[in-house]
Amino acid sequence: MKKAVVLALAAMMLLGVAGAAFADSVTHFGAPVAGKQVASGPVDVKAQVNPKISLTITTPDDPQTVDFGLVDPATTYTKSVTLAVKSNKAWTMQAVESGDAAITDNLTLTAPATVFGANYGLKGEWSGTDTYTLNMPWTVEAGVPYTASVLYTVTQ
Amino acid sequence: MQERRTGQRDRARQAVFAAVLALALALSAPILDPPSAEAVTVRGNFEVTVIPNTAYSAASYTLGGFRTGNGETVTGYTLMFPGDTDASGVTSPGAGDVVTVAADNRTVTVVLGTPVAPRTTFSIQLDNVRNPSTAGTYAIASVTFARQGTTDQTIDISTDTYTIVAAPYLSMTITTPDPGQTVDFGSIDPGVPTAAKQVTVAVTSSAGYTITRALGGSATALGLNVTGTATGTKPAGTRTWTDDYVLTPPWTTDPEVALTATVVYTVTQ
């Protein structure tokens, strides 16, 4: 145990010394330019950006819920979900419904391409509105709480 | 006849005695006439030379010549530059010389890699000493020599002055956290500000000056933002300014592409 601790400390000290040695200094001396002493020097800034995509879903109800509450048959109800995509590469979106057929059979979503219009699939930051339209037919049993899910997937 | 022989014998004895006496005196000469107590002497043409001798400049100082005495070896020396002289970065050109500078940045001690042998004429040279900021006449008061097997010896050279002249001077030292005058952020995420990295700009100027920064290259693609004190109008003298570098690449920047932005610092008197 003691030996392992000593080795670990030595490794930490070595890394500390190596880190301190990386700083770089260059001196530029003035030269006359149009009667004035001028000195100039460049600094390079380097980086590489990682591929990244993110999707932010904003629902009208908590948590991440669209709650139509009590609905009448053969009546159209709409609610909106805001979708925001950030991507530094081209992307696509899928929306897959699952759950109670009473909802999935009678719920209409806006196509992703329509949600984002001309910006669909372009790298950058975009947002749009997915309109949920629900119309329960007379054949749906009344007095039953129904639940369904919409899974959004964005892919570069 | 007998008196002549006696006189001849006396003269022979006297000659032998004189020869023996002369031999004894020759052998004892080193005892009767010991070596000088001072190992080092200042030559008749001694002077202090400063190149360049302009205010603020990093210069080479040569003090010469000195001469070691009989049987004495000089192993090093110490001297103190006059006020407003900065010897913090001083170097000695001799192979194996070890240089130390006191906290006052003016007192320099050199242990010679090759000691100076007896009866040798030599000079002292120290490089990268920053001259005073004000023109005028200056002097190094003394040099103390370390001698092998005996006490140190201090030589007064306060009357051997040198002149520093006024001239426009400007220098800028840029220090970056990564090699090759680079600030390297490695792999970063879009839309997320990086932790700041610092660049320092140290300026020595004989007159007031202005610092400017010019961003170029992939500065926009990287979302480069530079803030800090290394910009604007500044007074004469030596000062260090610090800038913070932060990248926030936009989502429109292509990933997996090595990008380089440039920041050019320009100092103008």
Side-chain angles (χ1 to χ4, degrees):
Chain A
M1 183 66 170
K2 185 176 179 182
K3 185 177 179 180
V5 169
V6 168
L7 288 174
L9 284 173
M12 288 168 61
M13 288 168 61
L14 178 63
L15 288 171
V17 169
F22 286 165
D24 178 76
S25 293
V26 171
T27 298
H28 307 273
F29 293 94
V33 176
K36 296 183 178 181
Q37 287 287 313
V38 178
S40 186
V43 172
D44 282 344
V45 184
K46 297 184 177 180
Q48 181 165 304
V49 183
N50 298 318
K52 212 80 170 178
I53 190 166
S54 74
L55 170 65
T56 302
I57 303 170
T58 305
T59 59
D61 306 298
D62 292 330
Q64 292 286 278
T65 299
V66 180
D67 190 350
F68 286 94
L70 298 175
V71 298
D72 290 331
T75 304
T76 299
Y77 298 85
T78 62
K79 281 204 164 186
S80 297
V81 170
T82 302
L83 305 172
V85 174
K86 298 180 182 180
S87 176
N88 56 6
K89 296 177 77 171
W91 54 278
T92 57
M93 174 181 282
Q94 283 185 317
V96 177
E97 300 173 44
S98 63
D100 291 336
I103 292 181
T104 61
D105 290 346
N106 302 294
L107 178 67
T108 304
L109 307 177
T110 309
T114 304
V115 170
F116 296 96
N119 298 323
Y120 175 71
L122 300 181
K123 61 180 180 179
E125 301 178 62
W126 313 110
S127 64
T129 300
D130 192 351
T131 301
Y132 286 37
T133 304
L134 185 66
N135 190 312
M136 296 291 211
W138 287 97
T139 54
V140 173
E141 187 171 350
V144 176
Y146 296 104
T147 303
S149 297
V150 178
L151 176 64
Y152 293 96
T153 303
V154 287
T155 306
Q156 284 188 332
Chain B
M1 178 68 83
Q2 190 169 3
E3 289 179 357
R4 187 181 302 167
R5 287 187 186 142
T6 301
Q8 288 175 340
R9 282 201 292 275
D10 286 341
R11 284 194 292 276
R13 289 197 193 97
Q14 288 173 0
V16 170
F17 176 75
V20 171
L21 180 59
L23 178 61
L25 286 173
L27 291 174
S28 66
I31 301 172
L32 294 175
D33 184 20
S36 169
E38 295 188 346
V40 184
T41 56
V42 177
R43 305 295 287 174
N45 59 351
F46 180 87
E47 63 177 351
V48 178
T49 305
V50 182
I51 298 175
N53 68 333
T54 47
Y56 282 107
S57 296
S60 177
Y61 282 67
T62 303
L63 289 65
F66 298 99
R67 185 171 175 84
T68 50
N70 297 329
E72 304 283 358
T73 299
V74 167
T75 59
Y77 61 89
T78 298
L79 57 80
M80 184 170 74
F81 287 95
D84 198 24
T85 306
D86 182 358
S88 59
V90 66
T91 60
S92 179
D97 289 357
V98 177
V99 181
T100 55
V101 183
D104 61 6
N105 288 333
R106 292 163 49 198
T107 303
V108 179
T109 299
V110 177
V111 176
L112 296 171
T114 301
V116 182
R119 298 171 61 85
T120 302
T121 299
F122 67 99
S123 295
I124 288 173
Q125 181 179 334
L126 292 170
D127 300 326
N128 197 39
V129 177
R130 185 166 300 285
N131 289 336
S133 60
T134 304
T137 300
Y138 294 84
I140 295 169
S142 61
V143 181
T144 299
F145 289 98
R147 302 179 297 169
Q148 193 172 66
T150 184
T151 58
D152 293 350
Q153 179 201 352
T154 298
I155 294 182
D156 184 343
I157 58 171
S158 59
T159 58
D160 298 287
T161 61
Y162 54 92
T163 301
I164 299 298
V165 299
Y169 179 86
L170 180 64
S171 74
M172 171 180 64
T173 300
I174 300 174
T175 301
T176 58
D178 302 299
Q181 295 283 275
T182 297
V183 184
D184 193 345
F185 286 90
S187 295
I188 59 176
D189 287 336
V192 177
T194 62
K197 284 197 158 192
Q198 278 75 44
V199 170
T200 62
V201 180
V203 178
T204 297
S205 179
S206 57
Y209 58 95
T210 302
I211 308 179
T212 59
R213 322 180 193 101
L215 275 60
S218 297
T220 301
L222 287 174
L224 173 61
N225 186 31
V226 181
T227 58
T229 57
T231 187
T233 301
K234 311 294 185 184
T238 298
R239 284 177 175 80
T240 299
W241 314 101
T242 301
D243 273 353
D244 287 333
Y245 284 49
V246 175
L247 298 183
T248 310
W251 286 91
T252 51
T253 298
D254 286 334
E256 299 173 307
V257 175
L259 298 173
T260 301
T262 57
V263 179
V264 177
Y265 289 92
T266 300
V267 179
T268 305
Q269 281 189 339

